[in-house]
Amino acid sequence: MHFIRPVWLTHGGEKKDFEVYSCHISPDGTRLVTAAGGKQSYGHVRIWSTAAIYDAVNPNSTEPRQLASMSYHSGTIHTVRFSSSGKFLASGADDKIVCVYTLDLNAPPHAATFGTNEAPPIENWRIFRRLIGHDNDVQDLGWSYDSSILVSVGLDSKVVVWSGHTFEKLKTISAHQSHVKGLTFDPANKYFATASDDRTVKIFRFTPPGPNSSAHDQMNNFTLEKTISAPFVASPLTTYFRRCSWSPDGNHIAAANAVNGPVSSVAIINRGSWDGDIHLIGHEGPVEVCAFSPRLFSKHPIDNLPRGANGQPSSNLVTVIACAGQDKALSVWITSNPRPLLITQELAVKSISDLAWSPDGKNLFVTSLDGSITTVVFEEGELGHGVSMEENEKALAKFGGGRRGAGIVEGPEGLLLEDRSREGEIRGVEGRMGALMGDVTGTTAPPTNGDVPSTRPNHPISNGISTTRSDQTGSRDESKPQDAKDPHAEKLERLKQRVTITKEGKKRIAPLLVSSSAAGESTLPRSQLMASMSNGAGTTNDGPKTILDLSKPFDGLPKGGLAALLLGNKRKLVPSEGDDEGHAQKKIALASQNGATPILLNTVDGLAPANNKASESGQIPTPEFIRPAVVNPSLLTSQVRLAVPKVRAHVVSGISDKVDQGTQTQNTADSGVNGTSVSAVQTDTVFEARNPVGPSPTGRQEDHEPARLAVTRRGQPIWQDFLPRSVLLLTGSPEFWAAACEDGTLYTWTPAGRRMINAMVLESQPVIIESKNSWLLCITAVGMCYVWDVKNLSSPHPPVSLAPILDIATHSLQTHTTKAPAVTSARLNSEGRIVVTLTNGDGYAYSPSMFAWQRLSEVWWAVGSQYWNTADSSVGNLSSSAKQSEQHQATGNVSAGVIPYLERQTTNETLVRGRAYFLQRLVKQLLPREGFEGFESSVSIAHLENRVAAAMMLGAMEEFKMYLYMYAKRLGAEGLKSKVEELLGGLLGGIYEEPVGDEELSTDPNPATEDRKWKNSTQRLCGWPRKELLKGVVLILGKHRDLQRITVPYSKVLKLSEDDTDHDHAMEI
């Protein structure tokens, strides 16, 4: 080991050298950057050549010494750091500003700074951004290991997070109670830690944001994971810095300015448990800065490194840490030795301010407030033998980390594919920024699920869903050309002409608020914000701008959902008084041996023998309902019980003529949350039933008056009918009317009142009936679901039970009754699919092709996935061409909005019942544990796969495409080669294979059956051309060089390099 301190390596002044507060080494190890004060408090950032420093002992060296000098701050510069990519350099000073510099490859514009004796600059470092976000001195800053974020801390107690791509302020964290003086990043890119004068170190968890992320998107990112205070309870407040460091294997944090009793120390904090039971003791004064070497070391040379049977090093790799502070001493420690490797006393005249290791871990740079910059050069083997960076990545792999390299370009085709992929990404960023700045040049409405862009002005958007009301003239108005008008201009004109009359009868013009006349409703970014859509260009909201393709219940379920009860198979007899010897049980067993079937009641408490009971007579008065429905015998044997609605005197249902004119307008009323309408739709046609309420004319309970049913339109009667049984529920659609009676019968009529089919007799009382177009859904009290196509007198599948989704598999063998999750909604889509939501937050849909329930939404995704509630601009700006095929237009509204609806229901249920709180606590405890490092990533990918499968099963075209691109984006970011290869192969299908014999590829498949499978022989997948989907996915993955060996062959097949001018079908990523 030897020291190098060149005379010229300093921030020199006229009378003395200025204090040097910070230093750092570039990732390639060729540049040393230092920061200090200057004349009249104007600090300087100087960049030096490390080659000149190492060769300082050679008087004949021709290496340039100072490469550049910048003075853009108006105060003393406290910190300076290179980004991990080496592209940017950031500095923070007491002028409250963070400056970001970038290297300009052009020659410097001047020979030397006028009025100084400095050498001419060799490199042209120009200022790139000035970041304003602190209210006091900026004390430290740092970059994440993937350069996706820049974090700055200061004396204003704030932690400010900046985007490493756009340098937009993503979040300001005010978690500390005093000055924040230190910062370090986890090499696995999962956490960062801050040290403050409030005597705490706080650990923050984060997910690296994407290039298009905004502050609104990162509201739930950068969360506080842990606050550590035990090692710092009595730490002094006199230190200038508290610079901490994270070990290269990710296991430990070295926190400066800790105490162990009365002695100053460095606390070593363990990852996961976040406790500090190890202290490095040896300094006489407070330690201000710690720095781990970026390399791992071994006692043995690399060539002789012993390895086990699995190829892993059998000897433990060690880390090296350097510490310094107010006692002007430098100590170097290794984890395999309880004592320091070396201690150098009086290395400087004043306190040591910063430490920086070279990337190879052999050189250490030390700066001091006396203006000195010292280089400590270690000889080979003094610290150990440095291992390759692959060992670092292997150590970080258990935490879900490990930085992926830039990769090798797979030829010129790979470069072309990478350029095209990045072009789409840049267009997405520009479109989004244009929308944020209000650069909306057109008022063309976005396409809605297969419809061509309309020329009507934009309307307000609620939850990404249009709330406009359809024109009553229908398609006739669409054929007339209309001039696009600015809706904001019309609104402003109306506001200007608004006249009010005061109490005295005087006319006054209402004052116009400045905010009301703005072109946009808000200057803050919102999830509903859409970019400009001028001539189909720009970007749109990620969520499909469409209606909700589900039936809307007119008669809602009770508050808390429809109650459900599960009965176990192993039932015991109810213990009766005076039957201690079990005579009843013996009598039942004897009767069963003779072949007889004893009649038992399956009560809540158990099985009970049936007793004869005299029938009740007379009326039971009650203001809200007539009586409970008659109990059907099927309820005595079923394991599922659903609450049966009371028999009401007046049952009403209705539809609106305005809503019934077409499929698109019919569902507009369903676009609200939880089935509530977002636009005022008048109910024009009313279907009502009046049940008898008086006593029986004959005096017998079984003889009563018939129920009266009538349909009226705007008060005028259309038809009337009578039923001999009391009516429980009603429903209707533009194609039929239906009524369910208390004895389990179901009647249907045409819109004109003609009976369509005979009364259908069910096994128990209907508790839910829904209608959608020609489809009718009926759920009975024993949990059986029936679906009929009333128009074609058919059913898509046999009756199916709700028992599987009510957890009957868990409770079927119990000996007691169990309360099951209540049914909050049961609805139909336009294809007759049953969609059910429960109070436990789960959402289900029945697959008629597989004869099984499929869970589409659950609380697990809500607490574990990073993509929950992301169907807007926060996940990227995806848009497709406005040119849609006729097939697309025909099937565009199928199952639209079902998946977002189910996820909203899950969010609402979990928030209301508090279940999400406990699951979040469970997940938070799992994340630091060993074996759960990739938990968030795995759950997020699984959630996207669940969305893609659900959209394909339901046939939701727009959502399938959006979720598919989100899934491809995440696979590319994670570098999952096997899944990428499988996905591309599934998208390719057989579209480029030669037909065998007379076999030809179908070009017009049935979207309900043929194209909703990955392995089908059609040219479409979920309604989209396979080639279009494949092209979009390849463009998304094209920028990842480590995947180009997989993506380049597909780009050649698609001829993407020859298709530069085809922008109509290009996907903007």
Side-chain angles (χ1 to χ4, degrees):
M1 180 189 70
H2 62 275
F3 297 89
I4 302 176
R5 184 182 291 179
V7 178
W8 47 265
L9 188 59
T10 181
H11 287 250
E14 295 180 357
K15 297 182 180 180
K16 67 173 183 176
D17 295 337
F18 294 106
E19 298 90 346
V20 181
Y21 291 93
S22 183
C23 65
H24 200 238
I25 298 292
S26 62
D28 59 2
T30 60
R31 300 177 181 89
L32 168 69
V33 59
T34 57
K39 292 181 179 180
Q40 299 176 355
S41 298
Y42 286 89
H44 279 76
V45 173
R46 300 186 189 273
I47 300 177
W48 313 87
S49 170
T50 55
I53 298 174
Y54 300 148
D55 201 26
V57 295
N58 184 8
N60 301 323
S61 175
T62 58
E63 290 285 343
R65 298 173 177 176
Q66 181 174 299
L67 301 180
S69 175
M70 295 89 73
S71 180
Y72 292 99
H73 286 282
S74 59
T76 301
I77 303 173
H78 295 151
T79 177
V80 62
R81 295 290 183 265
F82 278 105
S83 64
S84 302
S85 62
K87 182 179 179 181
F88 298 109
L89 172 66
S91 62
D94 58 10
D95 59 358
K96 313 173 189 177
I97 294 176
V98 175
C99 290
V100 180
Y101 314 89
T102 185
L103 178 61
D104 193 344
L105 299 180
N106 297 324
H110 53 80
T113 305
F114 181 76
T116 65
N117 296 325
E118 293 185 2
I122 305 300
E123 296 179 343
N124 185 15
W125 286 83
R126 59 180 179 83
I127 191 166
F128 185 75
R129 289 286 189 275
R130 292 170 62 90
L131 310 180
I132 301 175
H134 284 277
D135 300 328
N136 210 328
D137 299 6
V138 178
Q139 205 71 0
D140 202 1
L141 51 82
W143 299 81
S144 63
Y145 274 75
D146 61 352
S147 299
S148 61
I149 60 171
L150 167 67
V151 177
S152 58
V153 299
L155 301 185
D156 56 359
S157 307
K158 293 180 180 178
V159 180
V160 183
V161 183
W162 314 86
S163 169
H165 305 280
T166 61
F167 295 101
E168 174 187 356
K169 181 162 58 174
L170 298 180
K171 194 170 186 178
T172 300
I173 306 172
S174 300
H176 284 286
Q177 306 301 318
S178 186
H179 310 324
V180 189
K181 296 181 176 180
L183 170 73
T184 184
F185 268 90
D186 172 22
N189 224 39
K190 302 292 182 182
Y191 304 97
F192 65 85
T194 57
S196 169
D197 273 352
D198 61 4
R199 294 188 170 99
T200 63
V201 169
K202 294 184 182 292
I203 312 295
F204 296 90
R205 169 179 285 273
F206 75 98
T207 301
N212 304 351
S213 298
S214 64
H216 179 76
D217 307 334
Q218 303 301 315
M219 289 177 61
N220 297 325
N221 203 353
F222 313 109
T223 57
L224 179 63
E225 179 77 9
K226 184 71 174 179
T227 299
I228 305 165
S229 58
F232 316 101
V233 174
S235 64
L237 304 179
T238 58
T239 57
Y240 208 85
F241 300 106
R242 290 175 179 258
R243 285 176 168 151
C244 42
S245 180
W246 211 303
S247 64
D249 58 359
N251 286 321
H252 305 100
I253 303 174
N257 201 11
V259 291
N260 187 3
V263 182
S264 297
S265 67
V266 175
I268 303 299
I269 300 170
N270 300 313
R271 184 193 186 101
S273 60
W274 309 116
D275 54 359
D277 54 352
I278 301 175
H279 289 263
L280 304 182
I281 301 174
H283 285 268
E284 298 177 356
V287 178
E288 296 197 18
V289 56
C290 304
F292 272 103
S293 172
R295 288 297 185 95
L296 296 174
F297 291 87
S298 172
K299 295 181 179 179
H300 305 277
I302 300 176
D303 299 336
N304 302 327
L305 193 63
R307 295 183 179 273
N310 57 357
Q312 297 294 330
S314 58
S315 63
N316 294 328
L317 300 179
V318 299
T319 56
V320 176
I321 179 175
C323 308
Q326 292 184 359
D327 60 355
K328 310 160 205 170
L330 171 68
S331 63
V332 179
W333 307 69
I334 58 174
T335 53
S336 61
N337 196 338
R339 295 182 178 274
L341 186 64
L342 68 92
I343 297 179
T344 303
Q345 300 286 350
E346 301 297 333
L347 184 62
V349 179
K350 294 183 179 180
S351 299
I352 296 176
S353 57
D354 206 355
L355 302 172
W357 287 90
S358 61
D360 59 4
K362 296 180 180 180
N363 305 292
L364 177 63
F365 294 87
V366 184
T367 60
S368 171
L369 297 184
D370 63 1
S372 64
I373 303 171
T374 307
T375 306
V376 184
V377 180
F378 295 93
E379 303 296 338
E380 185 68 28
E382 283 186 327
L383 300 176
H385 300 275
V387 298
S388 64
M389 292 298 294
E390 294 179 357
E391 300 298 336
N392 288 40
E393 295 182 1
K394 290 178 182 178
L396 295 173
K398 64 181 179 181
F399 302 122
R403 288 165 286 168
R404 294 164 52 202
I408 302 174
V409 180
E410 295 291 330
E413 295 86 359
L415 282 175
L416 292 173
L417 179 61
E418 186 175 345
D419 291 341
R420 291 211 58 189
S421 176
R422 295 191 182 280
E423 284 177 7
E425 187 173 343
I426 292 173
R427 285 197 300 270
V429 175
E430 291 175 348
R432 180 179 159 276
M433 290 302 296
L436 288 171
M437 299 301 295
D439 299 335
V440 181
T441 56
T443 58
T444 309
T448 58
N449 255 2
D451 299 332
V452 296
S454 172
T455 56
R456 289 174 291 182
N458 287 334
H459 294 270
I461 299 295
S462 176
N463 287 337
I465 304 171
S466 175
T467 59
T468 58
R469 303 178 70 180
S470 304
D471 296 334
Q472 298 183 11
T473 54
S475 59
R476 291 177 295 177
D477 289 347
E478 296 179 0
S479 60
K480 298 178 182 180
Q482 299 181 4
D483 297 332
K485 298 180 180 180
D486 186 2
H488 302 293
E490 296 178 358
K491 177 182 176 182
L492 179 60
E493 192 64 27
R494 290 196 303 269
L495 291 173
K496 289 180 178 179
Q497 298 174 357
R498 187 168 58 185
V499 178
T500 58
I501 300 178
T502 62
K503 295 180 180 179
E504 293 79 11
K506 299 180 181 180
K507 294 183 178 181
R508 293 289 185 268
I509 298 178
L512 175 63
L513 294 175
V514 176
S515 58
S516 301
S517 62
E521 294 185 4
S522 174
T523 59
L524 298 177
R526 303 180 304 169
S527 60
Q528 300 95 332
L529 183 63
M530 295 187 300
S532 60
M533 287 291 297
S534 176
N535 298 325
T539 57
T540 64
N541 230 353
D542 286 340
K545 318 305 182 303
T546 182
I547 46 176
L548 179 60
D549 181 31
L550 283 178
S551 58
K552 179 191 175 186
F554 190 88
D555 194 3
L557 296 177
K559 185 178 180 180
L562 192 68
L565 193 68
L566 299 179
L567 305 178
N569 281 333
K570 297 184 178 180
R571 306 285 287 165
K572 296 182 179 179
L573 288 174
V574 178
S576 58
E577 296 181 0
D579 189 13
D580 299 334
E581 298 181 359
H583 293 296
Q585 187 171 359
K586 294 177 181 177
K587 188 183 299 184
I588 293 172
L590 182 62
S592 302
Q593 291 179 357
N594 298 330
T597 303
I599 300 177
L600 301 174
L601 298 178
N602 197 357
T603 64
V604 174
D605 298 325
L607 299 176
N611 298 322
N612 294 327
K613 184 179 180 181
S615 60
E616 297 180 359
S617 60
Q619 180 185 6
I620 302 176
T622 177
E624 296 182 356
F625 58 90
I626 300 173
R627 63 182 179 279
V630 178
V631 177
N632 194 288
S634 63
L635 290 175
L636 304 180
T637 58
S638 172
Q639 286 186 267
V640 178
R641 307 272 186 91
L642 297 181
V644 180
K646 302 290 185 179
V647 180
R648 294 168 290 179
H650 191 202
V651 186
V652 182
S653 180
I655 60 175
S656 172
D657 288 346
K658 296 180 181 179
V659 174
D660 294 343
Q661 292 179 357
T663 303
Q664 180 174 348
T665 55
Q666 176 186 350
N667 296 318
T668 305
D670 298 340
S671 58
V673 178
N674 296 332
T676 57
S677 174
V678 293
S679 58
V681 180
Q682 182 181 3
T683 303
D684 299 319
T685 305
V686 177
F687 183 28
E688 58 182 343
R690 297 185 180 273
N691 294 316
V693 296
S696 172
T698 63
R700 299 192 309 168
Q701 186 177 4
E702 59 268 21
D703 297 333
H704 52 77
E705 296 179 1
R708 294 179 296 161
L709 292 91
V711 174
T712 59
R713 180 178 289 119
R714 299 184 181 89
Q716 299 297 322
I718 303 300
W719 60 268
Q720 187 178 19
D721 203 349
F722 299 90
L723 294 179
R725 301 162 183 86
S726 297
V727 176
L728 287 180
L729 301 168
L730 299 174
T731 188
S733 76
E735 302 187 21
F736 69 93
W737 299 100
C741 299
E742 66 172 332
D743 63 345
T745 55
L746 200 64
Y747 297 85
T748 56
W749 295 267
T750 63
R754 182 171 57 89
R755 296 206 179 190
M756 304 178 69
I757 53 177
N758 301 101
M760 293 182 285
V761 183
L762 307 178
E763 77 282 353
S764 59
Q765 291 82 10
V767 296
I768 296 176
I769 59 172
E770 289 287 335
S771 59
K772 176 74 172 178
N773 299 340
S774 64
W775 298 100
L776 174 62
L777 166 67
C778 178
I779 300 180
T780 65
V782 294
M784 296 300 294
C785 302
Y786 296 84
V787 177
W788 299 282
D789 184 352
V790 179
K791 185 176 181 181
N792 298 319
L793 302 182
S794 63
S795 177
H797 53 78
V800 57
S801 175
L802 284 178
I805 67 175
L806 296 177
D807 296 334
I808 190 65
T810 307
H811 305 288
S812 60
L813 298 180
Q814 296 182 359
T815 59
H816 53 82
T817 57
T818 304
K819 185 178 180 181
V823 179
T824 54
S825 71
R827 305 167 73 174
L828 284 170
N829 73 343
S830 57
E831 286 188 332
R833 302 285 182 92
I834 311 174
V835 179
V836 179
T837 60
L838 305 178
T839 52
N840 60 5
D842 293 352
Y844 297 86
Y846 186 76
S847 173
S849 60
M850 302 187 69
F851 298 104
W853 289 100
Q854 295 187 9
R855 185 185 289 112
L856 307 188
S857 178
E858 57 181 318
V859 188
W860 181 247
W861 308 127
V863 298
S865 173
Q866 299 167 341
Y867 292 92
W868 190 256
N869 286 337
T870 53
D872 48 36
S873 57
S874 61
V875 294
N877 296 277
L878 306 178
S879 65
S880 60
S881 169
K883 298 181 180 179
Q884 312 284 344
S885 62
E886 295 181 0
Q887 177 80 16
H888 186 175
Q889 294 181 14
T891 62
N893 290 332
V894 173
S895 299
V898 174
I899 301 173
Y901 162 75
L902 292 177
E903 293 191 352
R904 287 197 302 270
Q905 291 286 83
T906 300
T907 301
N908 295 337
E909 290 296 335
T910 53
L911 291 179
V912 168
R913 303 179 187 278
R915 187 182 177 193
Y917 170 75
F918 297 100
L919 283 177
Q920 283 177 342
R921 288 183 58 186
L922 172 63
V923 171
K924 190 174 182 180
Q925 293 175 2
L926 288 178
L927 290 177
R929 293 185 185 177
E930 187 173 354
F932 292 89
E933 293 79 13
F935 175 82
E936 278 186 319
S937 177
S938 299
V939 174
S940 299
I941 292 176
H943 180 216
L944 291 178
E945 292 170 346
N946 183 79
R947 279 179 165 182
V948 171
M952 178 178 288
M953 189 269 289
L954 294 171
M957 292 179 57
E958 292 287 344
E959 290 160 3
F960 173 77
K961 186 177 183 180
M962 178 185 68
Y963 297 146
L964 177 67
Y965 288 171
M966 292 169 61
Y967 179 55
K969 224 174 186 182
R970 186 57 183 259
L971 292 184
E974 297 287 342
L976 302 178
K977 296 182 181 179
S978 58
K979 288 192 175 185
V980 168
E981 191 169 4
E982 193 176 78
L983 176 63
L984 294 177
L987 289 175
L988 184 66
I991 58 178
Y992 287 102
E993 297 178 359
E994 294 293 335
V996 179
D998 298 333
E999 180 184 358
E1000 294 183 359
L1001 296 177
S1002 173
T1003 58
D1004 188 19
N1006 181 5
T1009 57
E1010 294 295 330
D1011 66 341
R1012 297 190 189 174
K1013 298 173 288 186
W1014 290 100
K1015 301 296 183 182
N1016 66 68
S1017 58
T1018 67
Q1019 293 185 357
R1020 290 183 172 271
L1021 187 63
C1022 198
W1024 292 97
R1026 284 179 175 269
K1027 185 176 180 180
E1028 183 177 347
L1029 296 177
L1030 183 62
K1031 181 178 178 181
V1033 171
V1034 171
L1035 285 177
I1036 289 175
L1037 299 173
K1039 64 181 179 180
H1040 302 285
R1041 291 186 178 179
D1042 54 342
L1043 299 175
Q1044 286 184 356
R1045 186 164 295 181
I1046 303 173
T1047 56
V1048 166
Y1050 287 93
S1051 68
K1052 291 180 180 179
V1053 172
L1054 296 171
K1055 300 180 180 178
L1056 290 181
S1057 59
E1058 303 173 5
D1059 198 20
D1060 292 337
T1061 58
D1062 186 12
H1063 294 294
D1064 291 338
H1065 300 282
M1067 303 300 159
E1068 293 186 1
I1069 304 161

